[in-house]
Amino acid sequence: MTDRSGYDLMVIGLGAMGSAALYQAARRGLRVIGLDRHAPPHTLGSTHGETRITRQAIGEGTAYVPFVLRSHAIWDELESQTGTRILTRCGALLLSQPDDGADRGIRTGFLQRTRLAAETFGIAHEILSHDDLRHRFPQFGTAAEDVGYYEPGGGWVSPEAAITAQLAEAARMGAAIRTDTVVTGLSQHAGGVTATTADGATIRADRAILSAGAWVADFLPHDLRPLFQPHRQMLHWFALDRPDLSRAWTDGPVYMWPHGDGQDDFFYGFPSLDGGGSLKVANEQYNALVDPNDFNRVVGAGESRAFYDHSLAGRLLGLTPRVTKAATCLYTVTPDSAFVIDSHPTMDLVQLVSPCSGHGFKHSAAIGECAVLRAVEGASPIDLSAFSLGRLTV
Ligand SMILES: Cc1cc2nc3c(=O)[nH]c(=O)nc-3n(C[C@H](O)[C@H](O)[C@H](O)COP(=O)(O)OP(=O)(O)OC[C@H]3O[C@@H](n4cnc5c(N)ncnc54)[C@H](O)[C@@H]3O)c2cc1C
């Protein structure tokens, strides 16, 4: 069956990036169709688990800052349009040893770079001494040498709420959405692109956005596939047992805490969303390369316990090793850990939006908008030159 309805744009993958793109296309009056192999929001890709950290001064590089600033504006607008809570500005705290010039891999100088980004973009922030930290955030077991960067405009975003709101608004404005539809092929021909699906349909559009997350490599030439490596990540919820700190945990900020020089010496987490009963916390795994269609989705009790013992005990006060919930998720990592937002290498009518490693969600609303404008108008309102595919292939 061939769909001859003549779409302006097709979006393949409706997770964080694709739902944002579909919404931005629909609100511009484009005839747009979105396709997904599952039914977003779902728990099988990179965008689930209740919360994602957002911070405006991006230590990973100032080229990201315009994305998060624009994303916050889009979510504010979506919230007022739909009455859905998406973004909670509870503050973001980066705890760190003072920047002493030591080599800490990708985290080297992170606090300094975050501070510099805040100063460059005029983002409200405070640098906190250990005494400040102890008085304002008694829930953290900081050491005498620890310092903090605090950003009051940071906080967390609900990935499920954002995807749901963007898809619902897109549908309301006329976007076609096909879930449980696996795209098995994408080709470019004179005047457009054609997707084929596992159920034998073909769908045509003038242009496409490819936002297939951890599956993006399926749509790339073989030699480029190793540039996008899916890694298994774990999310853990541990019980709290300090009623005297309930208020601090409930009203507190999101936090990121590199506590040593090794790759495992890092974790991040969220305030308690259940009134002081538990906390969601996680670290990052860069040695757990997996096939997104076939990997162990169960977090072992030993995995949670090892994380608790190594990073959390004594740092998150009142946190017990009792796991109340756990989940796996996928980071898709490029060789330099930076995003790819560029034309497809062999199909110039297709815009490629990479799954953006471990910090893409906070930027996703704006990335969707940039991808749409680049696809249909040939230019993005935010400079994408730092995110070219070509930088990884030279
Ligand atoms: C554990 C974890 C913690 C994170 N924490 C943060 C954080 O605190 N802050 C932050 O900013 N970012 C964070 N991130 C990163 C952020 O969540 C991701 O960058 C972002 O969600 C990726 O979105 P995506 O749209 O690329 O992928 P996805 O949301 O996974 O969407 C891809 C979609 O494509 C669909 N698809 C794939 N193949 C096909 C096909 N062949 N046909 C049809 N559909 C297809 C999939 O079903 C899926 O719905 C975290 C990620 C993880 C895994």
Side-chain angles (χ1 to χ4, degrees), residues 11-19 35-42 44-48 51-55 68 75 155-157 159 163 178 180-185 196-197 210-216 218-219 231-235 256 268 270 280 282-284 293 327-332 339 353-364:
V11 180
I12 300 172
L14 299 176
M17 308 296 162
S19 63
L35 308 164
D36 200 287
R37 69 190 305 146
H38 300 298
H42 59 76
L44 301 168
S46 305
T47 315
H48 55 277
T51 48
R52 288 291 184 271
I53 286 181
T54 185
R55 49 199 156 83
V68 67
W75 287 321
W156 59 272
V157 192
I163 289 180
R178 287 195 201 166
D180 301 308
T181 300
V182 183
V183 177
T184 48
T196 50
T197 67
L210 181 55
S211 43
W215 292 264
V216 70
D218 293 352
F219 296 91
H231 286 77
R232 175 179 181 264
Q233 304 295 327
M234 293 175 282
L235 302 168
M256 298 169 63
Y268 63 91
F270 297 84
K280 175 188 158 186
N283 60 4
E284 297 184 318
N293 292 314
T328 56
C329 191
L330 291 163
Y331 272 14
T332 303
F339 301 179
V353 176
S354 87
C356 304
S357 199
H359 66 114
F361 196 84
K362 65 179 73 59
H363 308 296
S364 59

Side-chain angles (χ1 to χ4, degrees), residues 6 28 38 82 86 91 126-127 131 133 168 176 178 180 183 202 206 209 211 255 263 285 287 320 329 345 347 361 387:
R28 286 173 170 78
H38 300 298
T82 62
I86 296 172
E126 295 171 68
I127 300 298
D131 271 353
L133 289 170
R178 287 195 201 166
D180 301 308
V183 177
T202 56
D206 293 347
I209 290 175
S211 43
Y255 39 93
Q263 189 150 100
Q285 308 290 321
N287 53 2
T320 73
C329 191
M347 296 182 274
F361 196 84
F387 309 110

